[in-house]
Amino acid sequence: TGRDLDRGRGCSRDAGQDWSGCFRCTACASGSLEKERQKQCHSQHGGLGGSTNWWNRLAARNCPGYRGWGKGAAIGALGGLGKEARSAVPTLAEILRNTKALEHQRYLAAVALGQIAEDGQVAIPALEAFIRETSVYCPDRISAARSLCAFGAQAKESVPLLISLLEEARTQGDPGELAVALGQIAPHAKAAVEPLIRVLHEARPGSLTVERVAVVLGVFGPDAAPAIPVLLEALKSTEVPEHPNDRGHSREAAAEAL
C-alpha cells in the first residue's frame, strides 16, 4: 500500500542506506504499476522488483526504524510475485509462526502465502496455527483463512477450523468475507452449509453479508437446499441498504443462488 511504501522509505533513511528505488519496486512487484512504468522502474533500479531472492533476503532480516515497515514491504512484494516466489514460502511461514514478530508483518505473511499458494505442506500448518491464535485480531485471522482456502483441495482437512472461525466471525469479524473463502473450496466444505445459513438468517437485510453468503450458498448447489427458505426471505426483502459498504445487490444474489 501507499502507507507501506512511505514507511519503507522512512525505514531506509533510518538504516542509513539508499533503498528508495527498491521500495518503488515494491509497487512494481505487487502489480500496482502499469506495464510501461514497470519497465522504467526495472531499468532505473536494477530490476529488483522481480528478484525473488532479493526480496526473500530482505523479508528475513530485521529492518530498523518505523517498526519494521521495510521488512513488511518486502513481504508484500513476495506475495505480489505470486508462484514465482515459491522459494520464499518457508521464510514467510516462519514469520507467521513467530508470535514475537510485529502484527502487521505476520498479517502480510499470511496474505502473501495465499497469493503464492505453493508448498502447502509448509504453508498450511503455519496458516492453521495462526488462525487458532484467539489473541490475534479476528479480521486478520479471516484473511489467513482466505489464504488457506487459496490452496483448494489441500485445505479440505481445515474445514472444521474454518467453520469454528466462522462462528466467531458472526460477532467479531466479517462472516461474509470468510464465506467467500469457503466458497473457494465448496466441494470439500459441505459441512459449512448449516453455519452459513445461520449467518444469512442473522445478517442485516440488504447488507453486503447477505449478498456474499447468498452467492456462496449458490456455489454449493443442491447441497445448500436447506437454505431455500432463508434465501426466499432475502429475495422478498425491501430493506434499503444503510451502511456505505452495502451495495444493494442482496436480492439479486439471492435470486441467482436459488
Side-chain angles (χ1 to χ4, degrees):
T1 65
R3 181 178 64 176
D4 293 346
L5 297 179
D6 290 341
R7 297 201 176 192
R9 287 193 288 269
C11 182
S12 306
R13 289 194 293 271
D14 288 347
Q17 303 178 48
D18 181 14
W19 300 53
S20 58
C22 301
F23 287 112
R24 276 197 290 274
C25 274
T26 304
C28 180
S30 63
S32 58
L33 295 179
E34 296 178 358
K35 290 184 178 180
E36 293 76 9
R37 293 186 62 195
Q38 286 184 17
K39 293 179 181 179
Q40 181 180 4
C41 184
H42 280 240
S43 63
Q44 289 178 345
H45 309 300
L48 292 176
S51 174
T52 302
N53 290 335
W54 189 88
W55 287 114
N56 196 5
R57 290 197 298 272
L58 181 57
R61 65 180 291 179
N62 291 319
C63 188
Y66 282 97
R67 291 179 54 79
W69 280 98
K71 183 173 181 176
I75 295 170
L78 286 168
L81 290 171
K83 296 186 182 299
E84 294 183 12
R86 177 172 182 165
S87 61
V89 169
T91 298
L92 295 170
E94 182 180 352
I95 293 170
L96 187 59
R97 286 183 177 278
N98 183 5
T99 57
K100 295 182 180 180
L102 298 177
E103 290 181 5
H104 75 272
Q105 292 175 356
R106 298 185 74 199
Y107 162 77
L108 290 169
V111 172
L113 286 172
Q115 291 173 315
I116 298 170
E118 291 284 342
D119 201 357
Q121 292 182 340
V122 174
I124 290 176
L127 288 166
E128 289 179 334
F130 183 74
I131 293 170
R132 290 192 180 97
E133 290 185 40
T134 55
S135 61
V136 175
Y137 188 46
C138 186
D140 286 358
R141 292 158 62 207
I142 291 175
S143 295
R146 294 188 64 174
S147 290
L148 185 57
C149 291
F151 286 84
Q154 295 182 66
K156 61 183 180 181
E157 301 299 329
S158 306
V159 170
L161 176 62
L162 296 174
I163 292 175
S164 175
L165 182 60
L166 181 65
E167 295 293 337
E168 186 178 341
R170 289 163 62 188
T171 57
Q172 299 184 35
D174 182 0
E177 185 177 351
L178 184 51
V180 172
L182 285 165
Q184 292 181 261
I185 57 172
H188 312 285
K190 296 177 183 179
V193 170
E194 288 298 330
L196 287 171
I197 292 174
R198 289 196 292 272
V199 170
L200 184 60
H201 180 71
E202 296 172 355
R204 184 177 67 253
S207 66
L208 182 58
T209 297
V210 171
E211 178 184 339
R212 285 173 166 172
V213 175
V215 169
V216 171
L217 285 170
V219 174
F220 281 91
D223 291 321
I228 291 176
V230 184
L231 288 169
L232 286 172
E233 288 299 320
L235 183 61
K236 296 175 183 177
S237 174
T238 57
E239 292 285 337
V240 177
E242 297 179 357
H243 194 278
N245 289 338
D246 296 338
R247 300 180 294 183
H249 300 320
S250 59
R251 294 179 64 186
E252 290 87 342
E256 183 177 347
L258 287 167

